[in-house]
Amino acid sequence: MNGHEDTPAAVSVDTFSERVVARVARGARFCGLFASADSGGNRLTAVLAEGNSLRSEVTVVPDTTEGFPTLSTELPSASWYEREIHDLFGLKPLDNASLDPLVLPLKAGSKYPCPGSGEPASPIEIDPTPSRTRLLGEGVFTIPYGPVRSGVFESVEYVVETPGEDIPYVVPRVFYKHRGIEARFDGTSVDDGVLVAERYEGVASVAHAIAYCTAIETIAGVEVKEAANFVRIVHAELERIVNHLESVVRNTEAAGQAVAYARLTLHKERLQRLRARLCGSRFGRSVVVPGGVTGPPRLDSNTLLAGLDGIEKDIRSDLSLLMSTPSFIDRLRATGVIPPDLARQHGAVGPVGRGSGQVEDVRFTRPYSGYQLLGHQLIEPRIDGDALARQRVRLDEIAGAFHLVRQAIDRLSELAVDDADWRVPVELANGESISGKSISGEAIGWAEAPQGELLYLVTVDDGVLKRVKPRSASFHNLALFSAAFPKEVLTDFAFIEASFGVSIAGVAG
Amino acid sequence: MPWIPRGLHDGVVTTRYPRRADGYGEGFHAAVDVEPGAAVDDRAYAAVTACPTDSISIAGSTTGGRLHLDRGRCILCRRCVDICPRAFRFTSDFEVSTQQRNHLIVPDLEEDDATLARTRDELARRVRILRRSLHVRHVDAGSDGADEWEVAALMNPIYDVQRLGIYFTASPRHADLLLVTGVGSLGMIDSLAETFEVMPEPKVVIAAGVDAISGGILRDGYASSAGVTDLVPVDVLVPGNPASPFGLLHGILLAVGLLKESRGHAVRPSTNSKASVEPK
Ligand code: SF4
């Protein structure tokens, strides 16, 4: 059975880190570490992927203690999670040497926002003075890029540290855009929650809505109807195609391939318009809701399929010319290499992982939303680990996504769908669930966003959201960013950034 | 060079907007319209309560009151439209940018004509010089990431804003127009102010999308400023969540005085007026 095991009993703080590290040593993939306020302390949950299921380790850090033993000495991929927990909860990972602010450089004396604590976060002040992740030695100079970028990009600052002859080191500073959106879930209704999820990482609204809703549906114990699942897949796969195109577009922009840039942005726009014709929104918003979808695609299947055929043909033709344009390929080859070993240790997800030898794609390894009903081919991972490998993965996935959309549309047109089938109730109007009591409980939902595995840890209390913690693939993967830099930081920068395909909104929260 | 024939192919796709009407077609959710005089019955009342951003209000008494909807807050979630289609419906008309915050409230509120004319004239005077070509500096002040896609789309061959003499620039010192997206995250307040400061006069500011106008769904967020209107002097507001490329283009042309506010119905300059920022 693929899925998520029930939440285990909490273990003592002293053994927590050891247990997590031991699981990783036995082959588990570390997916993240998360905190939430609990009675008398803070609860920590480490999520691990073992085989085709997720497992958690849980501990409670009592208010009376200063913190918890760090995981990141043994498990470097835990470092960003520990910094985030420190920023938002003031909880110290003891002996973590690099506790620089990551998402929120709180001014001394400001109250920690503690999302999920049940108390409305009070106004805060921040102190964005530059900090240093690494100790600066003699002859080290730093160059900040951002947070306002030279182009139409999301705000983020990359501090490039150049220690003499050594390999430069790039420190992403994402807190500029921290919106505190996680706290927006607190105390809202299950139905409102999906609107927040859609805006957490707006270029992947559909994936966020699906991951959030599957957690809610697990808690409520309802099964989404087949037809609704196929509608979700149509929107999710179109979202994947445009996101992957966007990554390629940014590569062509960086390489000065003006015609390819124009052609691919044109196709991307055509797809965004097609998405708008399906649901009114160019980002597939307000389609996925707890219990199903708000309705079927608004185009009949023949028009939709014909539209897709035209766009796919043009995309395929332009991409194949692009992949045989040597001046372009040369810029990506051997650029921004993440060796497979490192990708495995870090648990890199999505195209970043699959460009470096990792196979996992949760659409197929932990199927949700009816993906198991459609034919697919797991794409062959690439092992070169460079920007070219990541781009090849994306091109394969674009082809695969078109294939899945078509199958979903076909299956949908074969089903006799009752109007009530689009959305099954998870709560009755008076806040009661169909089983006769308000829904309460916790669950992890997931989806393969275009950026990679997306997780939603959701706790509902009496029909109201108590705590929702999204873990975007962007957050997990950006932690690997600095490892991708060779000596030539400046010439390769744009390609490395484009090939990571990260949304800063999804990192900063 | 195999790319050249493909490049030549692009010419035919570009929109003729603003000379000709264009858009995303029926069914696109550009904004919500309110049926003027719609009764405030149980359905309408249910829509008011269901709105996740408190965008709908009832003026006057609850019975016999009037419904107003604030497009500066509306995230287009479609609940009101589903609950009470008699009073609320989507419009695909994207020409919904305004120069004043309260103009985003539909149906129109009573207004002071003199103030309105003053604001319009003041902006018109300031921007006259900008009509030849316009350099735009975009700043993300805490967006959800989708806004940037829509802004960047203005450079694709369909919108191709360079044909209108509109250029995006990396340098604020060469920028005439500041296009701001996002809720005004605390971390971006200083950078936003600095960018505005170093821009030469005359300059105009656009708040793009409801996040920038009001904070959107994060109006009360601990790290948001409920939009950017208190952070920089905003001249034009473009609703939408995010604002669509056509909506942004309308907002930009409104900001430089080449289009007028439509206030509920599209106002197009007469066909022989030069409705474009032509280079040279
Ligand atoms: S569509 Fe806009 S006005 Fe209507 S309920 Fe949603 S946010 Fe409120």
Side-chain angles (χ1 to χ4, degrees):
Chain A
M1 160 83 202
N2 299 321
H4 176 236
E5 314 269 313
D6 284 340
T7 317
V11 302
S12 83
V13 184
D14 301 332
T15 58
F16 177 72
S17 303
E18 275 166 42
R19 290 176 66 110
V20 175
V21 170
R23 278 182 183 276
V24 174
R26 288 197 301 269
R29 173 172 60 85
F30 177 74
C31 304
L33 179 68
F34 314 100
S36 63
D38 206 348
S39 50
N42 286 294
R43 195 160 64 122
L44 288 182
T45 306
V47 179
L48 301 133
E50 292 182 356
N52 287 339
S53 29
L54 289 182
R55 283 167 198 273
S56 317
E57 287 282 352
V58 175
T59 189
V60 174
V61 188
D63 281 337
T64 45
T65 55
E66 209 197 330
F68 61 96
T70 180
L71 286 119
S72 47
T73 325
E74 307 265 351
L75 201 60
S77 51
S79 181
W80 275 33
Y81 293 93
E82 293 185 346
R83 287 167 66 189
E84 185 190 39
I85 289 169
H86 184 241
D87 287 350
L88 299 181
F89 293 85
L91 206 58
K92 266 214 174 71
L94 306 172
D95 304 322
N96 180 334
S98 53
L99 263 189
D100 264 354
L102 179 66
V103 296
L104 185 64
L106 213 55
K107 195 171 196 158
S110 248
K111 207 166 151 257
Y112 290 98
C114 298
S117 61
E119 290 167 37
S122 42
I124 54 157
E125 278 188 82
I126 62 165
D127 176 15
T129 31
S131 50
R132 294 287 167 259
T133 296
R134 304 201 310 170
L135 288 179
L136 298 183
E138 202 67 22
V140 176
F141 63 96
T142 65
I143 319 163
Y145 293 95
V148 178
R149 314 286 309 281
S150 57
V152 180
F153 296 122
E154 288 187 75
S155 291
V156 57
E157 184 181 46
Y158 295 107
V159 180
V160 180
E161 300 182 357
T162 312
E165 293 300 294
D166 252 359
I167 291 176
Y169 193 81
V170 177
V171 185
R173 305 177 79 212
V174 300
F175 60 74
Y176 294 97
K177 318 195 32 156
H178 178 69
R179 294 166 292 155
I181 184 164
E182 216 168 288
R184 181 64 178 80
F185 287 105
D186 297 0
T188 67
S189 71
V190 162
D191 278 353
D192 280 4
V194 69
L195 301 171
V196 183
E198 286 178 330
R199 286 153 185 84
Y200 192 91
E201 186 176 22
V203 297
S205 289
V206 181
H208 278 259
I210 292 176
Y212 167 80
C213 288
T214 49
I216 296 295
E217 288 145 11
T218 305
I219 294 169
V222 300
E223 193 102 26
V224 172
K225 299 280 197 233
E226 207 172 53
N229 273 332
F230 290 142
V231 176
R232 287 182 175 185
I233 289 176
V234 169
H235 290 280
E237 294 306 312
L238 290 175
E239 176 176 272
R240 186 177 326 281
I241 297 168
V242 282
N243 271 274
H244 285 358
L245 269 185
E246 170 71 10
S247 164
V248 183
V249 160
R250 288 183 60 181
N251 274 330
T252 58
E253 189 182 15
Q257 294 281 342
V259 181
Y261 171 85
R263 295 282 302 168
L264 295 174
T265 52
L266 168 64
H267 304 325
K268 186 184 164 206
E269 176 67 21
R270 290 163 73 195
L271 281 162
Q272 292 297 75
R273 290 182 174 201
L274 186 69
R275 295 173 77 191
R277 288 178 71 193
L278 297 187
C279 65
S281 158
R282 290 160 58 88
F283 292 85
R285 293 184 182 173
S286 291
V287 172
V288 179
V289 285
V293 292
T294 46
R298 292 188 197 152
L299 278 181
D300 68 89
S301 55
N302 288 336
T303 318
L304 176 48
L305 287 170
L308 282 173
D309 284 348
I311 298 175
E312 187 185 11
K313 195 169 132 272
D314 292 347
I315 289 179
R316 204 191 303 128
S317 151
D318 282 335
L319 288 179
S320 85
L321 177 56
L322 186 63
M323 294 310 276
S324 54
T325 303
S327 56
F328 176 71
I329 298 302
D330 288 348
R331 302 302 309 268
L332 303 186
R333 188 175 284 123
T335 295
V337 177
I338 301 286
D341 262 357
L342 178 61
R344 189 185 43 75
Q345 280 162 27
H346 184 80
V349 293
V352 175
R354 292 190 283 274
S356 296
Q358 311 308 300
V359 282
E360 208 172 333
D361 179 331
V362 301
R363 286 177 294 171
F364 313 120
T365 49
R366 292 199 306 275
Y368 57 94
S369 192
Y371 275 103
Q372 69 278 11
L373 304 172
L374 303 180
H376 72 273
Q377 267 184 313
L378 260 188
I379 67 138
E380 208 183 309
R382 309 271 168 174
I383 50 166
D384 293 340
D386 55 3
L388 184 58
R390 293 190 278 278
Q391 172 150 310
R392 285 191 201 281
V393 166
R394 287 196 176 90
L395 300 198
D396 289 345
E397 289 186 19
I398 287 174
F402 272 114
H403 185 52
L404 287 165
V405 177
R406 268 200 207 89
Q407 290 180 67
I409 296 167
D410 282 343
R411 295 291 292 271
L412 203 50
S413 61
E414 287 161 9
L415 292 171
V417 189
D418 216 56
D419 262 357
D421 287 352
W422 298 120
R423 182 176 194 181
V424 297
V426 294
E427 283 184 296
L428 299 179
N430 61 2
E432 308 260 296
S433 79
I434 38 174
S435 54
K437 46 186 192 340
S438 282
I439 64 167
S440 290
E442 53 182 64
I444 302 182
W446 59 83
E448 183 74 23
Q451 292 76 14
E453 177 197 61
L454 167 66
L455 302 175
Y456 263 74
L457 284 71
V458 177
T459 310
V460 183
D461 193 12
D462 242 351
V464 168
L465 298 175
K466 187 164 182 290
R467 169 88 170 118
V468 177
K469 173 64 201 173
R471 197 296 318 257
S472 73
S474 292
F475 182 95
H476 195 84
N477 280 346
L478 193 65
L480 264 187
F481 196 63
S482 41
F485 280 89
K487 273 192 130 154
E488 300 300 325
V489 170
L490 297 184
T491 48
D492 290 347
F493 195 97
F495 298 100
I496 299 177
E497 192 185 21
S499 70
F500 262 65
V502 158
S503 164
I504 301 300
V507 183
Chain B
M1 279 310 288
W3 281 109
I4 290 172
R6 298 191 190 210
L8 293 175
H9 184 70
D10 287 343
V12 300
V13 303
T14 309
T15 178
R16 312 274 297 270
Y17 181 81
R19 292 187 193 210
R20 298 269 177 83
D22 200 351
Y24 303 105
E26 283 302 307
F28 175 65
H29 300 171
V32 180
D33 261 344
V34 180
E35 181 66 32
V40 186
D41 58 6
D42 284 356
R43 306 294 301 167
Y45 199 73
V48 174
T49 344
C51 175
T53 51
D54 300 330
S55 300
I56 314 173
S57 57
I58 303 170
S61 60
T62 321
T63 52
R66 289 179 312 279
L67 292 166
H68 287 288
L69 185 147
D70 183 356
R71 289 176 173 170
R73 284 188 182 182
C74 169
I75 59 167
L76 303 165
C77 78
R78 72 181 265 179
R79 274 194 200 155
C80 56
V81 179
D82 286 346
I83 295 174
C84 184
R86 195 183 35 70
F88 306 98
R89 66 186 121 67
F90 281 116
T91 167
S92 57
D93 178 3
F94 59 84
E95 293 189 320
V96 286
S97 305
T98 66
Q99 287 175 14
Q100 281 180 333
R101 179 66 182 85
N102 62 1
H103 288 186
L104 290 173
I105 298 170
V106 291
D108 303 356
L109 297 172
E110 305 280 325
E111 64 184 324
D112 170 0
D113 284 344
T115 331
L116 174 62
R118 237 185 349 261
T119 323
R120 204 172 39 221
D121 291 349
E122 190 277 323
L123 183 64
R125 254 198 310 283
R126 190 152 32 111
V127 300
R128 202 163 292 135
I129 191 174
L130 301 179
R131 293 193 188 179
R132 201 173 285 161
S133 68
L134 185 72
H135 290 87
V136 180
R137 172 74 253 207
H138 160 260
V139 173
D140 161 21
S143 75
D144 72 14
D147 304 80
E148 283 64 38
W149 276 24
E150 299 298 59
V151 176
L154 292 173
M155 289 173 274
N156 77 33
I158 293 191
Y159 305 99
D160 186 23
V161 292
Q162 294 197 13
R163 80 198 147 92
L164 300 167
I166 299 169
Y167 304 94
F168 281 84
T169 173
S171 159
R173 287 174 207 285
H174 299 132
D176 314 301
L177 190 151
L178 179 60
L179 183 63
V180 194
T181 52
V183 299
S185 59
L186 298 184
M188 285 306 294
I189 292 177
D190 291 349
S191 303
L192 180 62
E194 276 162 36
T195 305
F196 177 78
E197 281 311 314
V198 302
M199 283 170 61
E201 299 285 351
K203 48 189 166 189
V204 271
V205 181
I206 293 182
V210 293
D211 283 356
I213 295 171
S214 68
I217 207 161
L218 287 169
R219 200 168 74 247
D220 302 319
Y222 67 81
S224 107
S225 315
V228 299
T229 51
D230 290 340
L231 308 179
V232 279
V234 170
D235 295 297
V236 166
L237 309 112
V238 188
N241 190 232
S244 71
F246 270 133
L248 290 164
L249 189 48
H250 174 254
I252 293 172
L253 296 173
L254 179 66
V256 294
L258 286 168
L259 285 185
K260 293 209 199 82
E261 231 176 74
S262 56
R263 312 246 36 214
H265 41 84
V267 177
R268 191 164 304 290
S270 62
T271 39
N272 53 9
S273 85
K274 262 187 102 193
S276 59
V277 202
E278 300 281 9
K280 302 266 154 53

